[in-house]
Amino acid sequence: MVSKEDFVENGLIQAVTRLIFQLFAILVIARIFSEITERWFKQPGVLGELIGGIIIGPYALGSLIIIPHLGPLFALPAAGGSLIPLSTELYAIAQIAVVILLFYVGLETDLDTFMHYAGPSLVVALGGVIFPFILGDLATVIFGYADSVFHPTALFMGAILTATSVGITARILSERGKLGSPEGVTILAAAVVDDVLSIIILAIVVSMAKGGDFSLAKLGIISLKAVGFWVALMVVGIASSKRLSRFLLSFKTPGASTTLALALCFLAAGVAELFGLAMIIGAYAMGLSLSRTGVARDILDGLSGIYRVFVPIFFVVMGMLLDVRALGDALVFGLIITFLAIVSKVGGCFVSALTVGFNRLGGTRIGIGMLPRGEVALIIAGAGLAAGAIKSFEFSTALIMTFITTLLAPILLVPAFARGGDGRKKRAAPGKKKG
């Protein structure tokens, strides 16, 4: 039998206690800064949560706030240690939070509209991947950080620019009731495709960086594995949605349907990760599968309290990842990469959207909605650092780009939708010709 003394010696009690204090600080900071940005600056609360995360993080006040017998509230990472300056426990909670967010978003999305815009979303996603990759790769060569466009450093910088973080955009669209709009559905579907393509690109670049014998056959296997799983998950989820709904409704105890639905969300997220995709893809697919069942509204109502508590944790943690002290040397190149990331993603998605039935307003909304990078870009940057393809300099530029695009997205997206108006091209009436 394990005694309390053993737990103390192993550091478990200290770790849990520190986590409790950290969650206290994160939730308070999230609410205060969200209140400030929403009430006084008329901006989305997520913007305040990101800024609050920077202030309370380990690179700012977090390392200066000392808890008796425990040390700093958020300790600085040891030299040569983890790329993520947070405990495993806190980072895990943040990942659970974003899984809940995407499950919630999937439940709110209209499945019929999603299927209708699946084709346009693929076109938008391709535009949002090809242009950023090319510009990121070329810029790294032009500014002398790589010898050729096939150098691992150039390839990784291009790959970092391809990712799209749907979390912030999804939350803003949800809060403003735009998830079911043509632009909203296209953004979410395109972001999922973006993540799948980013994972494929990452696998290719890692293989090349490690000097592996890369071939078209390997590319085909990686692509088939990623795309095949995503399609299979969607098909199985939609086909079994009615059975799942009846299963959930068979439980009569209060909250049972919400609990079991969340369990299915975690299952889908975990399986997606095992297949090499991001957990959020599995969570979104499960939410989408249940979105048009009779139990969807009950699940949403049951999840609302969990959503409001957990989701802000993710955005505060995202803010904590920015090391403001290490940005000096990488600032100039970071700003250049950020500019290219904005132009290529917004421009690529905008042009692609115009070719699939959206007008300039709709294309602008979609381009801005695809702007933020977030956790996927950090995953790619971390993989590049671990593989030796990029150094801390390039990693810092990736952090600058990730944070600025994440910060700009809510500022630009809200007025883009607030203007109103249909984002789709008007079709000529039957029997009439244009001109």
Side-chain angles (χ1 to χ4, degrees):
M1 184 175 181
V2 181
S3 65
K4 182 177 180 180
E5 287 73 21
D6 293 329
F7 278 125
V8 172
E9 290 179 1
N10 292 331
L12 182 59
I13 295 297
Q14 289 95 327
V16 173
T17 306
R18 180 180 285 107
L19 179 62
I20 293 297
F21 279 112
Q22 290 175 343
L23 291 175
F24 159 77
I26 288 172
L27 291 173
V28 171
I29 287 295
R31 180 41 52 202
I32 291 174
F33 279 81
S34 177
E35 186 81 9
I36 290 172
T37 52
E38 287 186 11
R39 183 190 293 186
W40 293 345
F41 294 97
K42 308 303 180 186
Q43 294 294 330
V46 63
L47 187 62
E49 291 162 6
L50 290 166
I51 295 172
I54 298 175
I55 295 173
I56 198 65
Y59 299 112
L61 297 181
S63 62
L64 303 178
I65 301 173
I66 307 300
I67 305 174
H69 308 298
L70 295 176
L73 178 61
F74 296 103
L76 288 168
S82 172
L83 298 175
I84 305 297
L86 303 167
S87 68
T88 302
E89 299 84 7
L90 181 58
Y91 187 74
I93 291 176
Q95 293 307 301
I96 291 172
V98 76
V99 165
I100 292 172
L101 168 61
L102 266 296
F103 179 54
Y104 193 94
V105 166
L107 284 166
E108 285 193 317
T109 303
D110 182 81
L111 182 59
D112 293 332
T113 307
F114 178 90
M115 298 304 293
H116 179 73
Y117 286 96
S121 298
L122 177 60
V123 175
V124 170
L126 289 173
V129 166
I130 294 172
F131 291 105
F133 184 86
I134 292 174
L135 287 184
D137 185 288
L138 288 175
T140 307
V141 176
I142 291 172
F143 286 90
Y145 298 107
D147 298 330
S148 73
V149 292
F150 297 106
H151 191 279
T153 301
L155 292 172
F156 258 103
M157 291 307 296
I160 289 168
L161 265 62
T162 63
T164 295
S165 176
V166 71
I168 289 178
T169 299
R171 185 171 172 189
I172 294 170
L173 293 174
S174 176
E175 290 176 350
R176 278 151 183 78
K178 299 296 183 181
L179 276 176
S181 66
E183 296 95 323
V185 172
T186 301
I187 290 169
L188 292 175
V192 171
V193 177
D194 251 18
D195 280 350
V196 173
L197 294 176
S198 297
I199 296 299
I200 295 171
I201 292 172
L202 175 60
I204 295 170
V205 176
V206 167
S207 177
M208 295 179 68
K210 291 182 177 179
D213 54 333
F214 185 76
S215 65
L216 290 177
K218 284 189 175 181
L219 172 60
I221 293 172
I222 294 169
S223 303
L224 185 62
K225 180 181 175 182
V227 178
F229 169 76
W230 175 41
V231 173
L233 183 61
M234 288 294 300
V235 170
V236 171
I238 294 171
S240 60
S241 60
K242 291 184 178 179
R243 292 187 181 90
L244 288 175
S245 179
R246 286 197 296 268
F247 170 72
L248 296 176
L249 289 172
S250 68
F251 290 82
K252 302 304 179 183
T253 53
S257 59
T258 299
T259 302
L260 292 172
L262 192 55
L264 292 173
C265 158
F266 290 149
L267 174 64
V271 173
E273 189 70 30
L274 289 178
F275 273 79
L277 297 176
M279 288 185 288
I280 57 175
I281 293 178
Y284 180 68
M286 181 55 67
L288 196 61
S289 300
L290 294 172
S291 63
R292 63 177 178 184
T293 64
V295 76
R297 178 46 54 187
D298 291 338
I299 298 172
L300 282 169
D301 292 341
L303 278 178
S304 61
I306 300 173
Y307 176 96
R308 294 180 185 278
V309 171
F310 273 87
V311 171
I313 295 174
F314 170 73
F315 293 104
V316 174
V317 166
M318 285 294 296
M320 289 181 176
L321 298 179
L322 184 68
D323 184 358
V324 293
R325 306 171 309 171
L327 299 183
D329 295 338
L331 185 59
V332 174
F333 186 54
L335 292 177
I336 293 171
I337 284 292
T338 300
F339 173 76
L340 294 177
I342 294 171
V343 171
S344 59
K345 180 67 79 170
V346 176
C349 294
F350 173 82
V351 172
S352 300
L354 294 182
T355 67
V356 289
F358 289 95
N359 58 27
R360 292 184 178 182
L361 177 60
T364 301
R365 290 169 176 169
I366 291 171
I368 296 172
M370 297 288 286
L371 174 61
R373 294 330 196 258
E375 70 283 350
V376 180
L378 294 177
I379 290 171
I380 295 175
L385 196 60
I390 63 173
K391 297 181 175 62
S392 58
F393 175 85
E394 288 85 10
F395 186 77
S396 294
T397 64
L399 283 177
I400 294 172
M401 181 275 298
T402 298
F403 185 76
I404 293 179
T405 56
T406 300
L407 201 65
L408 279 178
I411 296 175
L412 300 176
L413 190 59
V414 172
F417 275 94
R419 274 188 285 169
D422 193 348
R424 293 167 296 181
K425 292 179 180 177
K426 293 181 179 179
R427 296 181 179 179
K432 292 184 179 181
K433 296 182 179 181
K434 290 183 178 180

